[in-house]
Amino acid sequence: QVQLVESGGGLVEAGGSLRLSCAASGLAASLYGMGWFRRAPGEERHFVAAISRSGMSTYYADSVKGRITISRDNAKNTVYLQMNSLKPEDTAVYYCAADWAQPAGSSWYPDYWGQGTQVTVSS
């Protein structure tokens, strides 16, 4: 059974930083593309970032480029999202995702999802 468990969310002031983690179990993470999506209050879920199984290729939504970095540690079956210069509009539930199909941009539709972790950025 595939499980993705996010951690690291919380409340931070604008301009601050957070690092989200996603621990995968029930799959060999090194074989899967992994990424992050987010859902702000009253909105649909949107793509944030994704990383190829090797970690050599990364993809970002335009709204987060330059502020957010995705990385992975396949030995730990974990993917990370380092978020800097946070803005109030980054407030959302952040979801970890994984799929056998490799991401090639924001048009990536993973099969496996975590439960989400709340990130709140105060102004």
Side-chain angles (χ1 to χ4, degrees), residues 29-120:
S30 61
L31 300 180
Y32 286 73
M34 299 189 74
W36 293 88
F37 290 68
R38 68 186 182 187
R39 177 180 284 150
E43 295 187 11
E44 296 181 352
R45 189 159 53 187
H46 292 288
F47 171 83
V48 176
I51 188 167
S52 63
R53 61 170 67 98
S54 69
M56 292 295 290
S57 298
T58 56
Y59 309 90
Y60 297 94
D62 288 342
S63 59
V64 305
K65 281 180 180 176
R67 300 187 298 117
I68 287 180
T69 303
I70 189 170
S71 61
R72 65 189 299 161
D73 184 339
N74 286 340
K76 296 182 178 180
N77 261 17
T78 301
V79 65
Y80 304 97
L81 193 71
Q82 178 66 44
M83 304 190 293
N84 300 323
S85 302
L86 283 163
K87 305 175 181 180
E89 52 263 44
D90 294 317
T91 295
V93 177
Y94 283 71
Y95 298 90
C96 178
D99 199 272
W100 180 260
Q102 294 303 292
S106 60
S107 297
W108 181 59
Y109 306 99
D111 282 340
Y112 302 107
W113 295 90
Q115 293 297 307
T117 185
Q118 176 70 46
V119 171
T120 303

